[in-house]
Amino acid sequence: MSDVPPPPDLPRPFYDAWRPALRPAARTLWHWHSALVEPAVPTGASVDAFFDEERARAEAGEPLRVIPEDTWSDAYEVCDVHGLNRDWLGAQVEAARLLVGDTRFEEADELDRFIRLWAAPHARLLATLAGLTNSVQRSWVDELARGFFLLVRLAALPADLAKGRLFIPLEELRQYDVSVDQLRTGPATESVQRLLWKHSVRIQDALQRGRSLANDLWFWQRYPLLRYWYGALALLDELDRRDFDLWSKPLALSRFRRFEVYLHVIFGRR
């Protein structure tokens, strides 16, 4: 079908699920991340030179042009107050250069590098704000960031392609003989299903590798993480049940499936 369904309204992990004292700081970090989704580059500027300079400015805590002043000034203040690493702000600026114009990744390693610069630093800032600072915890955080990011982008595949963005490696499209136009409009042919199944396995593997983080969290942190974690797996199950059809309607869970997620969180079943 030719009509692009609207992107799914998926929740943002750890946007509201904070103690009152930390919630404004977490939202500020989310505002920074969200402001870079549609980066503005001055007319006539070299994209690479512009982002090289902007990353250096972010790491130094200096004024930026790529996002609004209140966004960068608030984020710098949060980093100063809570002892967060501004390099992780700068890494997201570095990644944002790939969101200018069409976004494509030739190989899986290129996509992974983008995620390490885009999703993982954002997740590390939130994790450090929550007191998760050792290297093992950060490895789990990185995996969860990878899984959640890829799931959201998979669910929004038609909408992303309408903006010229694709977060599945092109080498895998060629492997399964799938064109970008097929992913833009559907339907879910057998070759498309095989491609998206492989991508869903990549997502599930990342989520499984990060699952142990929940064991290191206080209840107020553990409950929302598990809700998103079980919800993510339920969305993958739903996508498989729909034969990977992302074009008929947005990917979402029914009330019954959401209740099942709640039971999984409470009783720890999977």
Side-chain angles (χ1 to χ4, degrees):
M1 57 186 298
S2 59
D3 293 335
V4 176
D9 184 19
L10 298 177
R12 291 180 286 185
F14 292 104
Y15 183 77
D16 288 314
W18 292 86
R19 291 177 297 173
L22 294 177
R23 189 175 299 131
R27 288 182 175 178
T28 294
L29 297 174
W30 268 107
H31 293 162
W32 171 281
H33 189 68
S34 300
L36 290 167
V37 171
E38 303 288 347
V41 179
T43 302
S46 163
V47 172
D48 286 338
F50 175 74
F51 279 99
D52 286 345
E53 181 179 348
E54 290 292 275
R55 176 174 186 170
R57 286 177 172 273
E59 292 174 350
E62 297 176 353
L64 299 182
R65 292 177 290 170
V66 70
I67 55 178
E69 179 178 352
D70 58 343
T71 302
W72 57 255
S73 62
D74 288 350
Y76 293 162
E77 181 179 359
V78 165
C79 288
D80 290 341
V81 170
H82 296 279
L84 306 181
N85 189 345
R86 280 199 306 265
D87 288 354
W88 292 335
L89 297 178
Q92 295 171 65
V93 174
E94 170 71 19
R97 78 172 68 208
L98 296 180
L99 300 177
V100 177
D102 287 349
T103 300
R104 299 284 191 275
F105 302 92
E106 184 64 31
E107 300 177 350
D109 287 348
E110 295 176 9
L111 176 59
D112 285 342
R113 181 178 183 274
F114 173 80
I115 294 171
R116 288 196 299 271
L117 289 170
W118 176 253
H122 174 54
R124 286 187 174 198
L125 286 166
L126 293 170
T128 303
L129 186 65
L132 304 170
T133 58
N134 71 52
S135 59
V136 175
Q137 290 170 333
R138 283 179 178 163
S139 69
W140 293 332
V141 167
D142 289 351
E143 291 295 343
L144 290 174
R146 184 171 184 260
F148 284 130
F149 171 80
L150 289 175
L151 174 60
V152 171
R153 300 279 54 89
L154 176 59
L157 177 63
D160 276 352
L161 279 171
K163 297 179 180 179
R165 295 176 177 177
L166 177 63
F167 296 93
I168 299 175
L170 293 175
E171 65 176 359
E172 294 180 6
L173 271 68
R174 292 192 294 270
Q175 178 184 352
Y176 291 97
D177 195 24
V178 173
S179 70
V180 173
D181 283 340
Q182 283 179 277
L183 296 182
R184 182 178 290 112
T185 62
T189 62
E190 183 177 348
S191 57
V192 169
Q193 290 180 43
R194 291 200 303 269
L195 169 68
L196 298 186
W197 176 83
K198 177 177 180 177
H199 197 58
S200 71
V201 170
R202 173 185 287 125
I203 296 168
Q204 183 164 332
D205 286 348
L207 293 172
Q208 293 288 358
R209 287 192 295 268
R211 168 63 175 80
S212 295
L213 182 68
N215 300 331
D216 280 13
L217 301 178
W218 297 100
F219 176 79
W220 69 270
Q221 300 168 322
R222 185 186 309 118
Y223 176 82
L225 175 60
L226 289 178
R227 181 161 57 90
Y228 291 121
W229 191 84
Y230 283 114
L233 295 184
L235 282 170
L236 290 174
D237 287 344
E238 174 65 15
L239 184 59
D240 183 64
R241 187 191 67 80
R242 286 169 44 170
D243 293 328
F244 296 91
D245 178 14
L246 290 166
W247 298 272
S248 298
K249 60 182 179 179
L251 181 63
L253 297 179
S254 66
R255 288 185 178 180
F256 177 74
R257 295 302 301 276
R258 291 198 297 269
F259 180 67
E260 284 187 325
V261 168
Y262 171 77
L263 293 180
H264 288 319
V265 173
I266 297 301
F267 297 107
R269 297 177 55 198
R270 179 60 187 174

